[in-house]
Short mmCIF file of all heavy atoms in Angstrom, two decimals:
data_model
loop_
_atom_site.label_atom_id
_atom_site.label_comp_id
_atom_site.label_asym_id
_atom_site.label_seq_id
_atom_site.Cartn_x
_atom_site.Cartn_y
_atom_site.Cartn_z
N ARG W 7 4.36 28.14 5.41
CA ARG W 7 4.51 27.54 6.73
C ARG W 7 5.95 27.69 7.24
O ARG W 7 6.89 27.75 6.45
CB ARG W 7 4.10 26.06 6.72
CG ARG W 7 4.92 25.26 5.77
CD ARG W 7 4.42 23.84 5.58
NE ARG W 7 5.26 23.22 4.54
CZ ARG W 7 5.78 22.00 4.62
NH1 ARG W 7 5.52 21.25 5.66
NH2 ARG W 7 6.53 21.52 3.65
N GLU W 42 24.55 19.66 10.98
CA GLU W 42 25.20 20.94 11.27
C GLU W 42 25.36 21.77 10.00
O GLU W 42 25.15 22.99 10.01
CB GLU W 42 26.57 20.71 11.92
CG GLU W 42 26.50 20.18 13.34
CD GLU W 42 25.89 21.17 14.33
OE1 GLU W 42 26.24 22.36 14.30
OE2 GLU W 42 25.02 20.75 15.12
N ARG W 131 7.92 31.47 -2.68
CA ARG W 131 8.72 31.85 -3.85
C ARG W 131 8.28 33.21 -4.38
O ARG W 131 9.11 34.00 -4.82
CB ARG W 131 8.58 30.81 -4.96
CG ARG W 131 9.93 30.31 -5.42
CD ARG W 131 9.81 29.32 -6.53
NE ARG W 131 9.66 29.98 -7.83
CZ ARG W 131 9.65 29.34 -8.99
NH1 ARG W 131 9.73 28.02 -9.01
NH2 ARG W 131 9.52 29.99 -10.12
N ILE W 180 16.22 23.40 -15.12
CA ILE W 180 17.48 23.01 -14.48
C ILE W 180 17.94 21.62 -14.86
O ILE W 180 19.06 21.42 -15.34
CB ILE W 180 17.36 23.12 -12.95
CG1 ILE W 180 17.19 24.58 -12.56
CG2 ILE W 180 18.60 22.53 -12.26
CD1 ILE W 180 16.96 24.81 -11.08
N GLU W 181 17.08 20.64 -14.68
CA GLU W 181 17.53 19.26 -14.84
C GLU W 181 17.97 18.92 -16.25
O GLU W 181 19.05 18.35 -16.46
CB GLU W 181 16.46 18.29 -14.32
CG GLU W 181 16.41 18.34 -12.77
CD GLU W 181 15.26 17.59 -12.16
OE1 GLU W 181 14.21 17.43 -12.82
OE2 GLU W 181 15.40 17.17 -10.99
#
Side-chain angles (χ1 to χ4, degrees):
Chain W
R7 60 189 175 134
E42 289 294 315
R131 234 181 83 174
I180 293 176
E181 287 171 333

